Amino acid sequence: MTMGAHVSLPMYRRTLRQRLLLEGVRCRACGQVQFPPRGACPACRGLGREPVQLSGRGVVHAVTRIAPQGAPPEFSGQPMYAVAIIHLDEGPFITAQLTEDAPIGAPVRAVVRRLYEEDGVVRYGFKFAPEVMTGS
Ligand SMILES: [Zn+2]
């Protein structure tokens, strides 16, 4: 799920738990972690699964900078921003906006941020922030 895609209010409410708590699922058969949760396990096609709380930590796998004129309408008026594919520590790859630019391989962690307002409702979701190295 990309952050720029339109999300209807009912869909937003249904997926709020996943969005804010980073809850994925782990396959009972092979242990593969999926986020966001979808159908059968992509590795073994198994259907048995259990909820798993993701750490929200990972590394930048790829990054794209998006200029304001190329942004979807709900982001217009904002400065250029970076969207990255994050390789989570638990295995899944997810696409999310970065709070600030970060190079490939940089460690990042999920933070909850106000994304935009639509239909009179402020949408919150996670972005990824570069890990601050202690002692530097
Ligand atoms: Zn599996």
Side-chain angles (χ1 to χ4, degrees), residues 63-85:
V63 62
T64 305
R65 283 91 190 178
I66 298 178
Q69 61 269 29
E74 60 267 28
F75 288 107
S76 63
Q78 296 183 15
M80 185 178 288
Y81 62 95
V83 172
I85 298 172

mmCIF file of all heavy atoms in Angstrom, residues 63-85:
data_model
loop_
_atom_site.group_PDB
_atom_site.id
_atom_site.type_symbol
_atom_site.label_atom_id
_atom_site.label_comp_id
_atom_site.label_asym_id
_atom_site.label_seq_id
_atom_site.Cartn_x
_atom_site.Cartn_y
_atom_site.Cartn_z
ATOM 1 N N VAL A 63 15.026 4.289 -2.894
ATOM 2 C CA VAL A 63 14.412 5.565 -2.525
ATOM 3 C C VAL A 63 14.133 6.391 -3.772
ATOM 4 O O VAL A 63 14.904 6.353 -4.737
ATOM 5 C CB VAL A 63 15.293 6.328 -1.499
ATOM 6 C CG1 VAL A 63 16.652 6.655 -2.082
ATOM 7 C CG2 VAL A 63 14.616 7.583 -0.992
ATOM 8 N N THR A 64 13.002 7.090 -3.771
ATOM 9 C CA THR A 64 12.602 7.953 -4.875
ATOM 10 C C THR A 64 12.243 9.318 -4.300
ATOM 11 O O THR A 64 11.535 9.381 -3.295
ATOM 12 C CB THR A 64 11.347 7.399 -5.583
ATOM 13 O OG1 THR A 64 11.602 6.061 -5.980
ATOM 14 C CG2 THR A 64 10.988 8.219 -6.797
ATOM 15 N N ARG A 65 12.747 10.384 -4.911
ATOM 16 C CA ARG A 65 12.357 11.734 -4.467
ATOM 17 C C ARG A 65 11.229 12.216 -5.358
ATOM 18 O O ARG A 65 11.331 12.107 -6.593
ATOM 19 C CB ARG A 65 13.530 12.717 -4.540
ATOM 20 C CG ARG A 65 14.529 12.557 -3.405
ATOM 21 C CD ARG A 65 15.626 11.596 -3.794
ATOM 22 N NE ARG A 65 16.465 11.232 -2.634
ATOM 23 C CZ ARG A 65 17.477 10.373 -2.722
ATOM 24 N NH1 ARG A 65 17.769 9.785 -3.856
ATOM 25 N NH2 ARG A 65 18.172 10.081 -1.646
ATOM 26 N N ILE A 66 10.188 12.736 -4.747
ATOM 27 C CA ILE A 66 9.009 13.169 -5.492
ATOM 28 C C ILE A 66 8.848 14.682 -5.365
ATOM 29 O O ILE A 66 8.739 15.213 -4.256
ATOM 30 C CB ILE A 66 7.749 12.424 -4.994
ATOM 31 C CG1 ILE A 66 7.939 10.924 -5.234
ATOM 32 C CG2 ILE A 66 6.504 12.961 -5.688
ATOM 33 C CD1 ILE A 66 6.818 10.053 -4.766
ATOM 34 N N ALA A 67 8.847 15.344 -6.514
ATOM 35 C CA ALA A 67 8.669 16.796 -6.544
ATOM 36 C C ALA A 67 7.192 17.133 -6.352
ATOM 37 O O ALA A 67 6.327 16.323 -6.678
ATOM 38 C CB ALA A 67 9.168 17.351 -7.867
ATOM 39 N N PRO A 68 6.907 18.323 -5.827
ATOM 40 C CA PRO A 68 5.506 18.683 -5.535
ATOM 41 C C PRO A 68 4.583 18.535 -6.730
ATOM 42 O O PRO A 68 3.473 18.036 -6.594
ATOM 43 C CB PRO A 68 5.611 20.144 -5.094
ATOM 44 C CG PRO A 68 6.996 20.294 -4.576
ATOM 45 C CD PRO A 68 7.846 19.350 -5.400
ATOM 46 N N GLN A 69 5.028 18.933 -7.935
ATOM 47 C CA GLN A 69 4.125 18.875 -9.091
ATOM 48 C C GLN A 69 3.837 17.440 -9.507
ATOM 49 O O GLN A 69 2.883 17.180 -10.223
ATOM 50 C CB GLN A 69 4.663 19.695 -10.270
ATOM 51 C CG GLN A 69 6.011 19.241 -10.798
ATOM 52 C CD GLN A 69 7.150 19.973 -10.106
ATOM 53 O OE1 GLN A 69 7.035 20.387 -8.951
ATOM 54 N NE2 GLN A 69 8.264 20.138 -10.797
ATOM 55 N N GLY A 70 4.669 16.489 -9.054
ATOM 56 C CA GLY A 70 4.426 15.099 -9.387
ATOM 57 C C GLY A 70 3.664 14.370 -8.300
ATOM 58 O O GLY A 70 3.394 13.184 -8.422
ATOM 59 N N ALA A 71 3.339 15.077 -7.242
ATOM 60 C CA ALA A 71 2.701 14.439 -6.091
ATOM 61 C C ALA A 71 1.193 14.321 -6.292
ATOM 62 O O ALA A 71 0.601 15.105 -7.012
ATOM 63 C CB ALA A 71 2.977 15.236 -4.826
ATOM 64 N N PRO A 72 0.575 13.341 -5.646
ATOM 65 C CA PRO A 72 -0.892 13.253 -5.695
ATOM 66 C C PRO A 72 -1.515 14.466 -5.015
ATOM 67 O O PRO A 72 -0.869 15.129 -4.211
ATOM 68 C CB PRO A 72 -1.198 11.969 -4.923
ATOM 69 C CG PRO A 72 0.042 11.628 -4.186
ATOM 70 C CD PRO A 72 1.187 12.275 -4.891
ATOM 71 N N PRO A 73 -2.783 14.804 -5.360
ATOM 72 C CA PRO A 73 -3.376 16.076 -4.924
ATOM 73 C C PRO A 73 -3.363 16.289 -3.409
ATOM 74 O O PRO A 73 -3.208 17.419 -2.960
ATOM 75 C CB PRO A 73 -4.812 16.013 -5.453
ATOM 76 C CG PRO A 73 -4.961 14.734 -6.161
ATOM 77 C CD PRO A 73 -3.669 14.024 -6.220
ATOM 78 N N GLU A 74 -3.492 15.214 -2.636
ATOM 79 C CA GLU A 74 -3.555 15.422 -1.185
ATOM 80 C C GLU A 74 -2.223 15.870 -0.605
ATOM 81 O O GLU A 74 -2.151 16.313 0.532
ATOM 82 C CB GLU A 74 -4.091 14.180 -0.455
ATOM 83 C CG GLU A 74 -3.283 12.907 -0.626
ATOM 84 C CD GLU A 74 -3.780 12.048 -1.785
ATOM 85 O OE1 GLU A 74 -4.341 12.614 -2.748
ATOM 86 O OE2 GLU A 74 -3.610 10.822 -1.723
ATOM 87 N N PHE A 75 -1.149 15.785 -1.388
ATOM 88 C CA PHE A 75 0.159 16.223 -0.903
ATOM 89 C C PHE A 75 0.586 17.553 -1.535
ATOM 90 O O PHE A 75 1.670 18.028 -1.280
ATOM 91 C CB PHE A 75 1.229 15.168 -1.206
ATOM 92 C CG PHE A 75 1.108 13.941 -0.365
ATOM 93 C CD1 PHE A 75 0.653 12.754 -0.908
ATOM 94 C CD2 PHE A 75 1.445 13.986 0.983
ATOM 95 C CE1 PHE A 75 0.533 11.618 -0.126
ATOM 96 C CE2 PHE A 75 1.332 12.843 1.764
ATOM 97 C CZ PHE A 75 0.875 11.658 1.215
ATOM 98 N N SER A 76 -0.246 18.122 -2.394
ATOM 99 C CA SER A 76 0.176 19.343 -3.086
ATOM 100 C C SER A 76 0.413 20.449 -2.070
ATOM 101 O O SER A 76 -0.224 20.510 -1.029
ATOM 102 C CB SER A 76 -0.871 19.762 -4.109
ATOM 103 O OG SER A 76 -2.085 20.064 -3.464
ATOM 104 N N GLY A 77 1.333 21.327 -2.386
ATOM 105 C CA GLY A 77 1.667 22.404 -1.463
ATOM 106 C C GLY A 77 2.764 22.019 -0.499
ATOM 107 O O GLY A 77 3.233 22.844 0.280
ATOM 108 N N GLN A 78 3.205 20.782 -0.533
ATOM 109 C CA GLN A 78 4.294 20.372 0.346
ATOM 110 C C GLN A 78 5.606 20.357 -0.439
ATOM 111 O O GLN A 78 5.602 20.227 -1.657
ATOM 112 C CB GLN A 78 4.028 18.966 0.903
ATOM 113 C CG GLN A 78 2.798 18.902 1.797
ATOM 114 C CD GLN A 78 2.591 17.513 2.393
ATOM 115 O OE1 GLN A 78 3.488 16.681 2.364
ATOM 116 N NE2 GLN A 78 1.416 17.282 2.930
ATOM 117 N N PRO A 79 6.728 20.507 0.248
ATOM 118 C CA PRO A 79 8.018 20.455 -0.443
ATOM 119 C C PRO A 79 8.307 19.040 -0.940
ATOM 120 O O PRO A 79 7.572 18.103 -0.638
ATOM 121 C CB PRO A 79 9.007 20.861 0.645
ATOM 122 C CG PRO A 79 8.337 20.531 1.924
ATOM 123 C CD PRO A 79 6.867 20.712 1.683
ATOM 124 N N MET A 80 9.378 18.902 -1.686
ATOM 125 C CA MET A 80 9.778 17.598 -2.193
ATOM 126 C C MET A 80 9.916 16.604 -1.036
ATOM 127 O O MET A 80 10.349 16.963 0.047
ATOM 128 C CB MET A 80 11.112 17.724 -2.934
ATOM 129 C CG MET A 80 11.554 16.438 -3.598
ATOM 130 S SD MET A 80 13.109 16.613 -4.516
ATOM 131 C CE MET A 80 12.566 17.579 -5.908
ATOM 132 N N TYR A 81 9.525 15.383 -1.285
ATOM 133 C CA TYR A 81 9.650 14.385 -0.239
ATOM 134 C C TYR A 81 10.178 13.088 -0.824
ATOM 135 O O TYR A 81 10.182 12.902 -2.037
ATOM 136 C CB TYR A 81 8.311 14.168 0.485
ATOM 137 C CG TYR A 81 7.199 13.643 -0.385
ATOM 138 C CD1 TYR A 81 6.941 12.279 -0.454
ATOM 139 C CD2 TYR A 81 6.403 14.508 -1.118
ATOM 140 C CE1 TYR A 81 5.911 11.798 -1.246
ATOM 141 C CE2 TYR A 81 5.382 14.030 -1.920
ATOM 142 C CZ TYR A 81 5.133 12.685 -1.976
ATOM 143 O OH TYR A 81 4.115 12.197 -2.764
ATOM 144 N N ALA A 82 10.635 12.231 0.058
ATOM 145 C CA ALA A 82 11.246 10.971 -0.368
ATOM 146 C C ALA A 82 10.340 9.806 0.017
ATOM 147 O O ALA A 82 9.799 9.757 1.118
ATOM 148 C CB ALA A 82 12.615 10.802 0.286
ATOM 149 N N VAL A 83 10.155 8.906 -0.936
ATOM 150 C CA VAL A 83 9.411 7.675 -0.683
ATOM 151 C C VAL A 83 10.393 6.528 -0.852
ATOM 152 O O VAL A 83 11.148 6.491 -1.819
ATOM 153 C CB VAL A 83 8.228 7.522 -1.656
ATOM 154 C CG1 VAL A 83 7.582 6.156 -1.516
ATOM 155 C CG2 VAL A 83 7.205 8.628 -1.421
ATOM 156 N N ALA A 84 10.390 5.614 0.092
ATOM 157 C CA ALA A 84 11.371 4.529 0.062
ATOM 158 C C ALA A 84 10.694 3.173 0.133
ATOM 159 O O ALA A 84 9.593 3.037 0.658
ATOM 160 C CB ALA A 84 12.340 4.667 1.231
ATOM 161 N N ILE A 85 11.376 2.187 -0.432
ATOM 162 C CA ILE A 85 11.024 0.797 -0.149
ATOM 163 C C ILE A 85 11.896 0.403 1.038
ATOM 164 O O ILE A 85 13.127 0.506 0.984
ATOM 165 C CB ILE A 85 11.278 -0.111 -1.362
ATOM 166 C CG1 ILE A 85 10.385 0.333 -2.534
ATOM 167 C CG2 ILE A 85 11.021 -1.580 -0.995
ATOM 168 C CD1 ILE A 85 10.700 -0.389 -3.826
#
